Amino acid sequence: MTDTARLPDLDHEHFLRRAFAVAERSRQAGDHPFGCILVDAQGEVVLEQGNGYTAEGGDMTAHAERLLATRASRKFPPAALAACTMYTSAEPCAMCAGAVYWTGIGRVVFGQSEHNLKEMTGNHPENPTLDLPCRTVFAAGQRMVDVIGPLLESEAAELQRSFWSGRDEGGKTD
Ligand SMILES: Nc1nc2[nH]cnc2c(=O)[nH]1
C-alpha cells in the first residue's frame, strides 16, 4: 500500500489551475482540451502533458494522463512516484486510471468528473466518454491511489464548453 503520509501538503487549487492552463494550450495547439501535470514530493512540477489526439496522428488512446503516466514511468521509479501527485483537468478515464495505477503515482487530483464530462461530449466519435469513476478502478488494485476531486469543477468544465458541440464529427478517413 502507498503510505499516504508521504504525500506532501500541496496547494491543490493552484496546481489544478496549472493543469487547466496546459489543457487550454492543448486546445490552442489543435488537440482536445485536456491537460495534466505531475508534482513531486518537494512541490516541483516535474512533467506536464496535454492531450495528444491530433499530435499523435488521431490516436484515441493519447489522453493527457496516459501519455504523462508513460513518460513518468520511464523517468522515475515507483518509489519516487508514490510521493507524486497528478493534477488533471478532467477525471482519468478507466484506461488512464489503469496507467496511473501501474506507474505507482500516489495521488490524483482532478477538476471535472467523468460523469459531468459525458454530459458535454455525449457520444462524440473522438470522445465517447467512459462514465466510470477512477476511484472504482483504483479500488480494484492492490495498492492505494489517493483521489481528490471533483475540484473547481465549473472552471474545469469551461475548458470543454462549446468545444465538442462545435467539433466536426467527420473523424478520420483511413
Ligand atoms: N481525462 C481525459 N479525458 C479525455 N477524453 C479524451 N481525451 C482525454 C484526455 O486527455 N483526458
Side-chain angles (χ1 to χ4, degrees):
M1 293 280 249
T2 300
D3 177 2
T4 52
R6 278 188 298 161
L7 287 162
D9 194 15
L10 299 172
D11 181 345
H12 296 317
E13 295 196 353
H14 166 77
F15 286 114
L16 200 48
R17 288 191 169 110
R18 290 193 56 171
F20 294 171
V22 176
E24 177 56 24
R25 287 201 296 277
S26 179
R27 186 188 64 77
Q28 285 167 7
D31 266 305
H32 297 168
F34 298 94
C36 59
I37 62 171
L38 189 70
V39 179
D40 72 8
Q42 286 70 48
E44 297 293 324
V45 178
V46 291
L47 288 174
E48 61 174 50
Q49 179 70 54
N51 174 277
Y53 173 78
T54 304
E56 299 289 336
D59 181 356
M60 293 290 284
T61 70
H63 288 193
E65 302 96 312
R66 205 276 296 159
L67 292 170
L68 185 141
T70 298
R71 289 172 60 205
S73 190
R74 288 183 179 143
K75 199 165 177 186
F76 305 109
L81 289 173
C84 288
T85 305
M86 175 192 280
Y87 289 88
T88 176
S89 58
E91 182 172 7
C93 72
M95 169 186 72
C96 294
V100 166
Y101 172 77
W102 282 105
T103 64
I105 290 170
R107 180 167 58 188
V108 171
V109 179
F110 68 86
Q112 185 180 25
S113 70
E114 276 281 89
H115 190 71
N116 189 265
L117 177 68
K118 187 180 171 192
E119 284 171 18
M120 294 187 155
T121 65
N123 191 21
H124 193 287
E126 289 181 15
N127 203 348
T129 302
L130 252 178
D131 185 0
L132 181 72
C134 67
R135 287 179 175 91
T136 303
V137 177
F138 295 140
Q142 300 185 63
R143 61 175 186 79
M144 217 180 98
V145 182
D146 211 27
V147 181
I148 297 172
L151 191 65
L152 303 176
E153 190 168 38
S154 50
E155 240 174 271
E158 276 310 309
L159 293 161
Q160 308 294 330
R161 199 174 301 288
S162 77
F163 182 83
W164 296 102
S165 55
R167 191 159 174 94
D168 182 14
E169 297 207 1
K172 290 172 282 195
T173 50
D174 57 350

